RNA sequence: UCCCCAGUAGCUCAGUCGGUAGAGCAAGUGGCUGUUAACCACUGGGUCCGCGGUUCGAGUCCGUGCUGGGGAGCCA
């Protein structure tokens, strides 16, 4: 008999004489002549209740089922005689697939996120983490659908890169050489004898590659793992995370902002419409104001604020800041928080940043002081998107590279794109985990990625 | 990397003025029951994070290390 998913059974419109489910015991209760087992198979948040009559031949064993044990249950799907659930299964057979030892760490009670991080291999079996990772999967799908519907192509940019300066933080070195004994013949460390014959690293961004494909296929995006070797110890940084990077030809900064805003809106809407049961859990147990916040984001325009005006607002603010605000310095977290959480109380798109604090590839504005950069800041999360219109003018780009002390030799391929049919184009990067944090209300990035990698932590 | 806070039973925590350790849940046993974080009774369970110091005596005070959390920087 074919196995049914619990998700499907709970949505049934009529009873069924014979069904088969396979899953894990969440909890078990005994009654006089029968036993209640609640089973979860991961297909949805809810468990299904199974009634096991004492007349079953292996009833003694069934009564010893512990939380976490795996079972296969066949029986009839019937309307429940009790309150609290519509459907339940009257079991005709309960096969014990495996018994969980009594040391199973997940109990029928609330655990702290800190504890669950120490058992990251088991935490997806809890209600909350099951919901997180179902939503994560659903949003991945929604991302592809969003872009596909608009004629974007999905590009797989390299994970291993030879660009030694992508301008976005410290990089992880990739080598096959043994640091203790770099070469078998006793020679000293010699990069030319390494696998690629030169320095190689894990990517910090697929942008430069994506630009090449935007200038061929028009509208493209990447969605893949990204690596930053920064020694960041905060609740919103991970050494390995997933990033979505659209890149659009014939698109200026304004179009870029439109796209970023529409993208975030679409994903929130998708989660609310397609993950309502899991979303309800977050609104109830993680952040009581979550639904109001998300609906507010959906119903209000994002603020679009030039950096220069942001500086004015912050300078005029009655609130005092630890760090001063002046044109030419990057805004501090406290400033961004003030804008999103206090002043506007909604997402803010900051744009036209000073040239001096932004990387070489961002397009220089006519004022020669600012570049066409934009960051989307979300309340409670901070920067969720960072992007720009790219510098498409060869001379300006080369001048910027010289200015920032870059070695152009390794970037001839990049510069070629400005030599042959260069066009205005734009793109941005969105941190996938930060999006999930915003949508679920979870405040620590380590709780929205299956096995988080942070400084000093690579267990599992 | 810097600043702040915490570490006590499997989990979540209490522990007063420095006087040799407590609760709820979990586990085990028994009872009751269409139950639903089931309920009731009993039982077992401790390197009080490690090391050093002060003291007659340290979970408690001091130093130091480790681990975890929050904030800052960096960013997505």
């Amino acid at each position: 008999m074919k196995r049914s998913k619990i998700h499907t059974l709970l949505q049934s419109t009529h009873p069924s004489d014979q069904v088969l489910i396979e899953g894990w015991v969440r909890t078990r209760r005994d009654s006089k002549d029968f036993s209640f087992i609640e089973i979860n198979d991961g297909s949805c948040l809810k468990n299904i209740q199974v009634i096991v009559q004492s007349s079953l031949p292996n009833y003694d064993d069934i009564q010893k089922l512990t939380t976490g044990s795996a079972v296969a249950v066949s029986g009839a799907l019937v309307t429940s005689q009790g309150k609290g659930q519509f459907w339940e299964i009257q079991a005709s057979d309960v096969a014990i697939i495996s018994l969980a030892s009594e040391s199973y760490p997940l109990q029928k009670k609330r655990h702290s996120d800190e504890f669950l991080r120490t058992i990251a291999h088991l935490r997806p079996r809890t209600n909350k983490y099951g919901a997180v990772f179902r939503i994560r999967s659903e949003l991945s799908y929604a991302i592809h659908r969003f872009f596909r519907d608009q004629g974007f192509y999905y590009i797989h940019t390299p994970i291993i890169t030879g660009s030694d300066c992508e301008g976005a933080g410290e990089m992880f070195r990739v080598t096959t050489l043994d640091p203790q004994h770099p070469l078998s013949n006793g020679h000293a460390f010699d990069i030319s004898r390494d696998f690629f014959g030169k320095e190689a690293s894990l990517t910090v961004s697929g942008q430069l590659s994506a630009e090449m494909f935007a200038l061929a296929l028009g509208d493209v995006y990447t969605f893949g793992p990204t690596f930053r070797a920064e020694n960041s110890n905060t609740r919103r940084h991970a050494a390995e995370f997933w990033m979505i990077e659209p890149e659009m030809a014939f698109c200026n900064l304004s179009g870029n902002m439109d796209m970023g805003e529409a993208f975030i809106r679409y994903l929130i809407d998708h989660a609310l419409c397609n993950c309502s049961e899991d979303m309800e859990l977050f609104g109830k147990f993680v952040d009581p104001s979550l639904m109001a916040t998300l609906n507010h984001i959906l119903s209000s325009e994002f603020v679009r604020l030039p950096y220069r005006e942001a500086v004015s607002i912050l300078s005029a603010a009655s609130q005092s800041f630890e760090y001063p605000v002046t044109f030419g310095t990057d805004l501090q977290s406290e400033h961004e928080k003030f804008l999103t959480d206090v002043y506007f109380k909604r997402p803010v798109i900051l744009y036209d940043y000073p040239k001096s604090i932004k990387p070489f590839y961002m397009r220089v504005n006519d004022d020669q002081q600012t570049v066409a950069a934009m960051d989307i800041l979300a309340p409670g999360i901070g920067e969720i998107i960072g992007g720009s219109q790219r510098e498409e003018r060869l001379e300006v780009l080369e001048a910027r590279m010289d200015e920032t002390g870059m070695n152009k030799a390794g970037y001839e391929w990049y510069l070629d794109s400005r030599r042959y049919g260069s066009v205005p184009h734009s793109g941005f990067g969105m941190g996938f985990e930060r999006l999930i944090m915003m949508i679920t209300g979870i405040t620590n990035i380590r709780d929205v990625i299956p096995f988080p990698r942070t400084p000093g932590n690579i267990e599992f």
Side-chain angles (χ1 to χ4, degrees):
Chain A
M1 186 180 186
K2 192 169 181 287
R3 168 191 177 210
S4 297
K5 292 290 182 80
I6 290 170
H7 176 64
T8 311
L9 292 186
L10 291 178
Q11 291 185 327
S12 294
T13 50
H14 48 79
S16 175
D17 289 345
Q18 265 303 332
V19 296
L20 167 68
I21 58 161
E22 293 176 299
W24 294 271
V25 175
R26 277 297 178 79
T27 176
R28 199 185 59 73
R29 297 175 288 273
D30 287 324
S31 192
K32 193 169 183 187
D33 296 316
F34 53 92
S35 197
F36 297 99
I37 314 178
E38 284 196 40
I39 296 179
N40 189 287
D41 67 359
S43 61
C44 61
L45 180 65
K46 285 206 174 80
N47 307 324
I48 196 162
Q49 176 164 283
V50 173
I51 313 297
V52 186
Q53 301 294 340
S54 58
S55 53
L56 287 199
N58 61 342
Y59 190 68
D60 286 352
D61 291 335
I62 291 166
Q63 284 194 300
K64 290 186 191 123
L65 277 173
T66 48
T67 301
S69 297
V71 292
V73 176
S74 41
L77 183 73
V78 299
T79 52
S80 177
Q81 295 169 35
K83 289 171 186 154
Q85 60 282 314
F86 187 79
W87 294 110
E88 65 186 17
I89 292 176
Q90 283 285 350
S92 54
D93 183 74
V94 176
I96 298 171
I97 298 172
S98 76
L99 209 57
S101 142
E102 65 182 48
S103 65
Y104 185 63
L106 292 173
Q107 300 170 6
K108 292 178 280 187
K109 56 168 275 191
R110 213 184 141 270
H111 288 290
S112 68
D113 292 328
E114 291 80 7
F115 170 68
L116 291 170
R117 259 170 239 155
T118 69
I119 50 166
H121 56 306
L122 297 174
R123 66 181 180 169
R125 300 185 186 198
T126 64
N127 288 340
K128 177 171 159 183
Y129 288 86
V132 168
F133 294 113
R134 275 188 298 271
I135 287 180
R136 189 179 165 111
S137 169
E138 186 60 31
L139 285 171
S140 301
Y141 162 73
I143 284 162
H144 289 299
R145 202 176 86 168
F146 174 83
F147 287 122
R148 187 179 183 278
D149 286 353
Q150 298 183 70
F152 281 62
Y153 295 103
Y154 177 33
I155 306 299
H156 301 103
T157 53
I159 305 294
I160 302 175
T161 174
S163 304
D164 60 354
C165 174
E166 290 188 31
E170 296 293 313
M171 302 175 85
F172 287 102
R173 198 179 297 276
V174 173
T175 178
T176 55
L177 296 178
D178 175 352
Q180 300 304 315
H181 309 284
L183 299 167
S184 53
N185 59 9
H187 281 97
F189 186 83
D190 179 0
I191 195 69
S192 71
R193 294 172 184 248
D194 200 357
F195 189 90
F196 295 108
K198 59 176 281 195
E199 297 265 355
S201 308
L202 295 179
T203 185
V204 294
S205 164
Q207 179 199 319
L208 301 190
S209 312
E211 280 187 54
M212 301 306 105
F213 277 76
L215 296 174
L217 304 186
D219 294 326
V220 303
Y221 69 103
T222 74
F223 182 8
T226 308
F227 308 89
R228 303 273 167 92
E230 295 288 351
N231 188 16
S232 295
N233 282 290
T234 80
R235 59 186 179 82
R236 39 180 217 291
H237 288 88
E240 177 183 290
F241 62 99
W242 286 62
M243 188 157 66
I244 301 105
E245 296 180 286
E247 195 68 36
M248 299 156 284
F250 310 105
C251 178
N252 61 16
L253 187 69
S254 168
N256 202 19
M257 291 192 274
D258 291 345
M259 183 59 71
E261 180 169 349
F263 188 38
I264 290 175
R265 273 229 172 75
Y266 180 90
L267 296 173
I268 291 174
D269 185 64
H270 187 93
L272 289 174
C273 293
N274 296 278
C275 312
S276 52
E277 187 180 285
D278 289 326
M279 287 298 292
E280 211 173 289
L281 178 147
F282 295 108
K284 210 164 157 188
F285 297 113
V286 176
D287 175 7
S289 61
L290 181 67
M291 292 306 162
T293 304
L294 294 179
N295 284 317
H296 180 59
I297 293 175
L298 285 182
S299 61
S300 58
E301 297 276 297
F302 291 14
V303 175
R304 299 197 185 190
L305 186 71
Y307 168 93
R308 208 180 282 276
E309 284 179 32
V311 170
S312 305
I313 290 173
L314 291 164
S315 303
S318 54
Q319 182 170 330
S320 64
F321 297 109
E322 193 184 338
Y323 295 91
V325 187
T326 50
F327 185 90
T329 57
D330 217 346
L331 297 186
Q332 305 288 313
S333 281
E334 56 173 345
H335 304 141
E336 295 182 349
K337 267 187 202 127
F338 175 79
L339 293 172
T340 53
D341 298 14
V342 180
Y343 195 83
F344 291 110
K345 293 193 171 72
R346 51 192 163 123
V348 174
I349 310 183
L350 278 175
Y351 65 99
D352 286 350
Y353 280 81
K355 185 170 73 166
S356 55
I357 57 170
K358 290 293 182 185
F360 73 96
Y361 52 76
M362 295 188 175
R363 191 177 196 280
V364 178
N365 287 326
D366 290 345
D367 63 10
Q368 301 300 318
Q369 288 186 348
T370 60
V371 289
M374 66 105 178
D375 284 355
I376 301 187
L377 312 175
I381 305 288
E383 183 176 346
I384 193 166
I385 278 180
S388 66
Q389 182 171 342
R390 319 305 189 188
E391 182 54 76
E392 85 281 13
R393 298 161 297 187
L394 181 64
E395 329 74 58
V396 182
L397 184 61
E398 285 184 320
R400 281 286 283 154
M401 291 175 85
D402 291 338
E403 213 173 291
T404 51
M406 290 175 63
N407 178 13
K408 281 181 294 196
Y411 291 90
E412 284 306 318
W413 60 273
Y414 184 71
L415 292 169
D416 263 358
S417 65
R418 273 62 170 174
R419 292 186 181 111
Y420 312 119
S422 187
V423 301
H425 61 289
S426 298
F428 61 82
M430 180 174 83
F432 188 40
E433 285 74 20
R434 288 189 182 172
L435 173 88
I436 299 169
M437 289 167 72
M438 183 178 76
I439 289 181
T440 60
I442 286 175
T443 53
N444 195 310
I445 197 169
R446 285 170 278 226
D447 298 333
V448 297
I449 191 165
F451 296 104
R453 272 80 177 94
T454 52
N457 187 355
I458 191 154
E459 223 183 328
F460 307 110

